[in-house]
Amino acid sequence: MDIDTYYQLSGGSDFRDVTSVFTLASQAMEPGSMVAIDGFSLHDAMTAIEIGDPRLDTGMQLEAVERPEFDPLNPLLPEEICWIIDRSMAYETEWHASNQLAHTVFTLLYVHCLNDVDPDILPILSMIDLDPSRPLELITLVLRAYTSGLLKSCNLAWNELCKGPLLDAEDWHSDKSEVSLLEGWPVEAAVARLDSGLTWLSTTTKVTPLWQEALKLRLQFRRNILLLLNFTESLPRDLGVFDEILQSTRHCLSIIRAHPCKSITSSSPARAAFDPYIARRLNTFLPVRIIDLPSWEHTCDAYERLLNGWEDIARLSKTYQLSTWNQVGFQQSWFSAPVARPAYIRSCAQTLFFDGMQVVHSQPQGWLVDRLFEETIGVSYTVFAQHWGGSGTAALVELERRVIHTVIPHIRGLWNNPARRRRFLVKSILDWHMIYDTLCGLVESVDTINIDPVAFRTLNQFPKAIVLWRLASIREVILSGFQLELYHPLERPFAYWFVAEVIDIHLNYLDVVLKGMAGVVPHNSSSRKEIHYQHVFLVALQAMSMAMFMSLIRSFLPNTIFNQWEQLRTNLRRRYKWAFNSAYDDYDFEPVVLEPDFTRFLREVQEVQGQEIMSNTELKDHAEKSSRSSSEYFELAQRLLQGLISTNNTGTLEGNWSHDRMRLLLGMSETCQELQSYFSGSTSDGDTSQILVSKLDWTRDFSNNIPKTPWFPSVWLQGGAEA
C-alpha cells in the first residue's frame, strides 16, 4: 500500500512545555504533601494505585463501612426471604450483563454457607422455632433450595460460555474466586431440592397464603430456569418439553413482575445477607467494585431478554437455511448495539451453529457450500462442481475449504458483541474476495466452445453470489459505525454517501442475478422471494442514506468539508483502512468494491451545496437520471417501505423473525416521515446548522428509549422528548 503523503497526527504538533507552570504552583507546598479535593480519603488514594495490573488493587476496608456479623441461621420473615431472592435475581442478571461473580452472585452470603443451613446436619435444638412468624424452614428448605438452584444455574451457564467462542473478560467473566458453583452436583439433585422446598410451601401452615404463593412462584421460576439451561444442550431433542417449560417460565415471570417484594426496613437482619465487599475475602485479585443494582423492572426485562433468546435458540435448532441464520444474526444486533444480547444466549447460538465438528447438530461442513449457492442464486453447487468432476475433486478442494472457513466464522461472528462483530465483518470482506477470485479463475478456465450457453450463464452466477454476501458485509460494516457511535459529525455525511454507493452496486448485482435465474430457477422459489424483498428494501435504504447525506451537507456552513478536508481525509483513510488493504494486489481479479472515491465524494458535496446533485441510477430504473431533493428521497423511501408493509412482505423470514423485520420496516417508515418533516421545517423556517445538529441524536440510550432504526438519528423536541 502506498504511503499517504497527507497523513498527519490528530491534534498537530504545536505542544508547549508546561512543567514550569506546575513547578511554580507547587512552590508553596511542603515536601511530601499533596493537593486533594474535598472529601478525598486514603481509600480513594489506595484504589487509584495500579501495581502492574489494575486487578491487583483490591482496595481496603474502612471502619466506617464495617458490617454486622452475618448469622446464616438467624430466623427471617417470609417477606425478608422474598426480598433476598429478588435481590439475588437482580445480581444474577448483572452477572449475565458481563459483571464479575464476586461482585454479583457471590455477594449473597448464603452462597458460602450452604452446609451451615443443611437441615440434615443441624442439631435438633437449633431446629426449634422460637418465633412462629419466622420458621427456620424458610432458610433450611426454601432459601437453601433457591440458592442451590441459583449456583447450579450459574454453573450451567458458565460451562456453555467456556466452550463457546466468546471472550473471557470481554463478553463475560469466568473468575469463580475458588467458590463452588456446585460443579459436581447433578442437575436432578438441584431440581429435587427445589421440589422439596415447593412441597413444604404447599403443605405448611407456618406461612400465610400470600407469602406462600410469592415464594412458590420464585422457586418455580428458578426451577424452570435451571431446566431451560439443562435442556438447551440437548436441543432440538425434547423441543416440545422445552417449549412447555419456556411458556411456564414466562407465566411465572409475568406474575413476579406484577407483584414485586416490597423493600424491607433498614434494621432488618436480611440486609446482612449481602456483602458487596465480599471480594476482599475471596481468593481473587479483583478490585472491590460495588454494583448498583438495577430496578425491578430492569431485572425482569433482563430475564425477558433471556427467555426471548431461548425462544430464538429453540427455533434456530430446527432451522437448516443458511440465509435465515444470516438474516437472524444481523437482525438480533440491529436493535441491541452498542449493548448486546446476554453472552450466554449468543454463545448458545454460536455453539448450535457449529460445535467444532458438525453444522446445526448433524450436517457435515460441506453442507454449507451447497446451501450458500442454493439459497443465494437458487442453483445447487453440484451444478457447478460437475464441470470439474464433482464436489471434493482436486480442482475444487481449495474453493470448498475457503467457503467453509469463511461461512462458519461469518455466521458465528454475527453473535459476537457489537464491536467485535464489526471487526469480524471487516476481516470477512477480504475472505469473501478470496472465494470470488477462486470462482472467477475456475469459470474463466472453462472451454466456452464446448459448453451450452445456458450452462455457462449459470456458471457465471456463482461468483456473483459471493459478491452479494461480500457487499452485505461491507454495508453492515459502514452502517454499524452509527450504532457504535464511531463517526465524527464530519464523517457522517461520507458514511451515508459511501453506503449509498455500495448499495448501488449491490442493486446492480441483484438485477444481474435475477436475470440469470430466468429459465433456471422457479418463480416461486425462496431465493427469488428474498431477492425481491432485498431489492426493494435496499432501494429504500439507499434513498434514506442519500437524503441524510444531502441534509447533513447542507447543515454545515459553506465549504466546511473543503476547509477541513486534509484532516478529514486522513481520518477517513484510517476509518476505512480495510478498503485500502494491499493484500488485494495478490489476487488476479479486482474486488467489486474497494477504495471509496474521494474525488467523486467532493464533487457531489459541491453539487449538493450548489443544489445541483443528480440522483443515483438505481433509484428509478438504473438508467434514468433525475434531480431529487432530500425531501423527495425520503418520500421515495417511505413509499417503498409502505409497499412492503401493506403487503406484509418480509421475504423468507417467518414467525417472530418476520415480526422483527416488520418492526424494522415500520421504524424506517416513521423515521422517513419524522426526518422529512424536520428538515423541511428547518429549511422553510430558516433554521441554522447549529440547531439542526443539536436536535439530531444518534446515541443509543436504551435506558430512556429504543431507537426506531439502528442507523438513522432521532429528532428531539423541547424537554428531551422524542419526536
Side-chain angles (χ1 to χ4, degrees), residues 651-692:
T652 55
L653 294 185
E654 299 177 349
N656 289 343
W657 299 330
S658 173
H659 297 157
D660 290 341
R661 184 171 268 186
M662 184 58 65
R663 173 189 170 198
L664 176 66
L665 298 176
L666 290 168
M668 291 176 65
S669 179
E670 292 176 14
T671 300
C672 281
Q673 185 175 4
E674 176 184 306
L675 291 174
Q676 179 187 2
S677 175
Y678 173 67
F679 284 122
S680 299
S682 297
T683 303
S684 61
D685 296 341
D687 208 349
T688 65
S689 61
Q690 288 77 16
I691 295 177
L692 279 170

Side-chain angles (χ1 to χ4, degrees), residues 174-193:
S174 65
D175 186 8
K176 294 189 284 189
S177 307
E178 297 189 5
V179 176
S180 171
L181 292 179
L182 306 180
E183 292 87 349
W185 205 42
V187 175
E188 292 76 10
V191 172
R193 187 171 291 180

Side-chain angles (χ1 to χ4, degrees), residues 285-302:
F285 292 110
L286 294 172
V288 174
R289 181 184 170 210
I290 309 301
I291 300 293
D292 293 329
L293 275 185
S295 66
W296 181 243
E297 278 299 313
H298 186 90
T299 297
C300 292
D301 288 342

